[in-house]
Structure formats: structure tokens, C-alpha cells
């Protein structure tokens, strides 16, 4: 059995006596901030991981949606828009780094990926079809379900810039979503967490039976996972949601 590193020992000491599952998300957030300050030299990303009581084999139990985190993600989101004419102009005015049609599709086909989010108008999706094998594996293919195929280009660009995140249950029924940076205030991280939790609760399939939220963990890039009391999530969302 391998010995614990100096950092692992420090984390274990800081978690000693800390109750898990933790009933309060803000208590967990403050503990993660305390640990990060003592053990990490960079601004870690805070992540939320949820195990859902769904059967992903059934199409009517898929969980996939988006939400805009009120405190943002703590990073600059580069937005590229595939659109023509007036819509391309709207995209640039809303803050998109790149906007255009054929010329951008040609750049992407040659390996250009200087963007984090790709948005398209419905009339341009036909042109993007040939890039499905390139964009799909990277999670960049625009999709109406996530609001990235739309005529309301300005709103889509502003939402992406403001901290819009997508959550989607994987094959194990798990959701993994970044909810900000550890150097945010605890209140700002909490706002992002309850916004995400509220969206996930609202996305519960009507055909899902039994316990929906099986487990919820908050963690950081290099830190420990802190388990929350999943039975208390709905109440905490109701208490804190704006």
C-alpha cells in the first residue's frame, strides 16, 4: 500500500472531523476554499458531480439541458458563430470573436479551433453537417436542445459569454459540470451551485422512478470530493435560488 504524500496528509488532517455527507453546500464550499488555499498554488476550478437515478438506456429518461450560471465561470469564453449577413453582424455586435459562414467552416475543416462555443443559425446547419465527425467528438456541434442552433443569435452569444453551461447525463447517469473558480466568494460559488441544482431538478424525466438525486459531490481540480446530503438539495435550492 502506497504512502500518503505530504499534500494528501494535509488534506486528510483538514477533513478530520468534517461531517460527510454535508447538509450545507456553503459549508462544503468554504472547506474546499480552506483546503485549496493551503495546498494549491493556482485558481482551481470548482466542479459539481451528480449521480442520477435514471435509466439512460431509455430515450425518455435522458437528462440534457443548459443553464446560465449567475456568477459566470471565471474565464473568457470564445464564441464563434456560423451565420450569414445580418445575423453575422448581430453576432459580432453581441461580442462573438468570429462570425461568418463558408470561410469559417473552411477554417474549421483545416483544423482551426480557436473557440470554446460554436453557435449557428438554422439555415447554416446544412453546411456544418460535413464537419460532424470533427465537431461531434469535441462536443462543439451546435444543437437546438442546448440553444446553440437559433435565430436569436445575440442572446445566444451573450448567454455563452455570461457563463452558460450544458449538463448531460453520461452512460452511468452521471453529470459533471464546472461551477466557477475556487477564488470566487463562497456566495458566488453557492449561487452557481444552486442554479445548476435547480436546473437539474427541473430536468427530471417524468418517467424516472425512485430516488432522482442519488449522490452529489463538490470538488476542485486537485482537491478532495466533499459529499453533500442529496436529500437536502431541493430545500437548499428553494432557500437560495433567486
Amino acid at each position: 500500500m502506497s504512502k500518503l504524500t505530504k499534500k494528501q496528509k494535509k488534506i486528510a488532517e483538514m477533513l478530520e472531523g468534517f461531517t460527510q455527507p454535508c447538509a450545507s453546500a456553503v459549508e462544503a464550499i468554504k472547506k474546499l476554499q480552506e483546503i485549496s488555499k493551503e495546498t494549491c498554488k493556482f485558481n482551481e476550478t470548482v466542479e459539481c458531480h451528480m449521480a442520477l437515478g435514471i435509466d439512460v438506456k431509455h430515450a425518455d429518461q435522458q437528462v440534457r439541458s443548459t443553464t446560465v450560471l449567475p456568477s459566470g465561470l471565471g474565464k473568457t469564453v470564445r464564441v464563434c458563430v456560423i451565420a450569414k449577413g445580418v445575423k453575422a453582424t448581430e453576432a459580432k455586435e453581441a461580442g462573438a470573436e468570429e462570425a461568418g459562414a463558408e470561410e469559417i467552416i473552411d477554417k474549421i475543416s483545416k483544423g482551426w479551433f480557436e473557440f470554446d462555443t460554436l453557435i449557428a443559425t438554422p439555415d447554416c446547419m446544412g453546411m456544418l453537417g460535413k464537419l460532424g465527425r470533427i465537431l461531434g467528438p469535441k462536443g462543439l456541434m451546435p444543437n437546438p436542445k442546448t440553444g446553440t442552433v437559433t435565430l436569436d443569435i445575440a442572446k445566444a452569444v451573450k448567454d455563452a459569454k455570461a457563463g452558460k453551461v450544458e449538463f448531460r447525463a453520461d452512460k452511468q447517469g452521471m453529470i459533471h459540470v464546472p461551477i466557477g473558480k475556487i477564488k470566487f466568494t463562497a456566495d458566488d460559488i453557492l449561487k452557481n451551485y444552486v442554479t445548476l441544482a435547480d436546473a437539474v431538478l427541473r430536468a427530471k424525466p417524468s418517467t424516472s422512478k425512485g430516488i432522482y438525486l442519488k449522490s452529489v459531490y463538490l470538488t476542485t481540480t486537485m482537491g478532495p470530493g466533499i459529499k453533500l446530503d442529496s436529500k437536502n438539495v431541493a430545500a437548499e435550492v428553494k432557500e437560495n435560488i433567486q
Side-chain angles (χ1 to χ4, degrees), residues 23 32 50 65 67 81 101 108 114 121 145 163 180 189 198:
L32 287 173
M50 298 180 173
S65 189
T67 191
V81 176
I108 294 173
E114 298 300 315
T121 53
K145 293 181 179 179
I189 299 173
D198 181 53

Side-chain angles (χ1 to χ4, degrees), residues 62-65 143 166-170 173-177:
Q62 300 299 313
V63 173
R64 181 181 186 181
S65 189
N143 190 309
E166 176 185 357
F167 57 88
R168 183 178 187 177
D170 61 19
M174 294 287 299
I175 284 175
H176 314 278
V177 185

Side-chain angles (χ1 to χ4, degrees), residues 76-80 96-98 113-118 160-161:
T76 300
V77 179
R78 300 168 299 172
V79 179
C80 179
E97 278 70 19
E98 297 285 343
F113 289 100
E114 298 300 315
F115 55 89
D116 304 298
T117 299
L118 187 62
K161 290 281 186 180

Side-chain angles (χ1 to χ4, degrees), residues 18 30 38 42-43 46 79 89 100 120 149 165 167 194 214 242:
F18 186 74
K30 288 180 178 179
E38 292 292 325
F42 68 95
N43 192 6
V46 183
V79 179
T89 302
V149 177
V165 293
F167 57 88
V194 296
K214 296 175 71 176
Q242 299 296 317

Side-chain angles (χ1 to χ4, degrees), residues 31-85:
K31 176 57 70 172
L32 287 173
Q33 288 180 317
E34 180 187 340
I35 291 172
S36 182
K37 186 177 181 180
E38 292 292 325
T39 63
C40 194
K41 295 181 179 179
F42 68 95
N43 192 6
E44 297 180 275
T45 295
V46 183
E47 304 166 2
C48 181
H49 302 272
M50 298 180 173
L52 305 182
I54 57 175
D55 188 343
V56 293
K57 294 178 181 178
H58 296 287
D60 60 359
Q61 289 196 40
Q62 300 299 313
V63 173
R64 181 181 186 181
S65 189
T66 61
T67 191
V68 178
L69 302 180
S71 304
L73 284 168
K75 68 174 185 177
T76 300
V77 179
R78 300 168 299 172
V79 179
C80 179
V81 176
I82 306 299
K84 299 177 181 179

Side-chain angles (χ1 to χ4, degrees), residues 58-213:
H58 296 287
D60 60 359
Q61 289 196 40
Q62 300 299 313
V63 173
R64 181 181 186 181
S65 189
T66 61
T67 191
V68 178
L69 302 180
S71 304
L73 284 168
K75 68 174 185 177
T76 300
V77 179
R78 300 168 299 172
V79 179
C80 179
V81 176
I82 306 299
K84 299 177 181 179
V86 175
K87 291 298 179 182
T89 302
E90 285 181 16
K92 293 293 286 185
E93 290 176 347
E97 278 70 19
E98 297 285 343
E102 290 87 351
E103 68 277 16
I104 292 181
I105 290 174
D106 184 54
K107 284 171 65 176
I108 294 173
S109 68
K110 293 177 180 177
W112 178 78
F113 289 100
E114 298 300 315
F115 55 89
D116 304 298
T117 299
L118 187 62
I119 298 168
T121 53
D123 60 302
C124 288
M125 282 304 292
M127 294 187 293
L128 272 175
K130 63 182 181 181
L131 298 181
R133 291 183 179 179
I134 299 175
L135 296 171
K138 294 179 178 292
L140 291 170
M141 192 68 177
N143 190 309
K145 293 181 179 179
T146 60
T148 48
V149 177
T150 178
L151 285 173
D152 196 347
I153 289 296
K155 182 179 185 302
V157 171
K158 290 175 182 177
D159 282 351
K161 290 281 186 180
K164 182 177 182 179
V165 293
E166 176 185 357
F167 57 88
R168 183 178 187 177
D170 61 19
K171 292 180 180 179
Q172 286 72 46
M174 294 287 299
I175 284 175
H176 314 278
V177 185
I179 57 171
K181 294 292 185 179
I182 197 64
K183 291 185 180 179
F184 281 9
T185 66
D187 187 54
D188 281 343
I189 299 173
L190 178 66
K191 287 178 182 176
N192 282 354
Y193 163 70
V194 296
T195 297
L196 172 66
D198 181 53
V200 172
L201 288 171
R202 291 175 183 275
K204 178 183 178 181
S206 59
T207 53
S208 174
K209 306 298 181 184
I211 298 173
Y212 178 53
L213 280 184

